[in-house]
Amino acid sequence: MAGVLGAGATAMLGAELLVLNALDVKLNLSAFGTALLAPMVLFAGCAYCGRAAGTSTFQTSGNFPSAWSGNVTEPDLNEALVGELENYEKYINDNHRIIADHARYLRFGLLLGFASPIVLAVVGAFFFFCRR
């Protein structure tokens, strides 16, 4: 998705600059800056989707130790297992947080990507109606 949104931002920027340069009207720097809003929103979506696919410290998971019962006959082994399983439970909880963070980045990136054409339409309508 990051690649698609990045390519879309580049294509949208090129198309906008081509249209603005082809107009017979004299345009100032603020008009070109306003035209950059939609590609910037799309590129921000690209950045968030890229962040969602980025690396993180994901840990291998085990079972939740809260479901395990103790072994009365071998207390030393039981204590060692409980200690290791508490580490696994910490890894699992950390993994849930990491997955939730990446899902939030992807969701926000997609929302920005889908909002970009709306921004482009608003900018185009503003330019069309203010030009008259």
Side-chain angles (χ1 to χ4, degrees):
M1 280 309 300
V4 169
L5 293 179
T10 305
M12 185 184 294
L13 177 65
E16 283 183 351
L17 291 178
L18 182 70
V19 167
L20 288 174
N21 283 329
L23 292 176
D24 293 335
V25 190
K26 181 169 172 59
L27 295 172
N28 56 9
L29 192 58
S30 65
F32 281 104
T34 306
L36 292 177
L37 285 177
M40 285 188 329
V41 169
L42 196 57
F43 186 73
C46 166
Y48 273 99
C49 287
R51 175 65 180 105
T55 60
S56 59
T57 56
F58 203 77
Q59 302 290 335
T60 56
S61 62
N63 295 322
F64 280 102
S66 56
W68 287 44
S69 59
N71 185 347
V72 183
T73 59
E74 299 178 12
D76 294 336
L77 178 62
N78 186 43
E79 287 178 21
L81 286 174
V82 167
E84 189 60 33
L85 291 173
E86 286 174 353
N87 290 335
Y88 282 140
E89 187 168 13
K90 179 190 173 303
Y91 296 157
I92 290 169
N93 291 332
D94 290 346
N95 289 346
H96 286 298
R97 182 187 50 78
I98 289 169
I99 290 170
D101 288 346
H102 285 260
R104 187 176 63 249
Y105 294 141
L106 182 63
R107 191 169 35 252
F108 193 64
L110 291 175
L111 285 174
L112 285 174
F114 291 137
S116 178
I118 296 168
V119 171
L120 180 63
V122 168
V123 167
F126 179 76
F127 180 73
F128 178 76
F129 289 118
C130 289
R131 193 174 129 191
R132 289 181 174 198

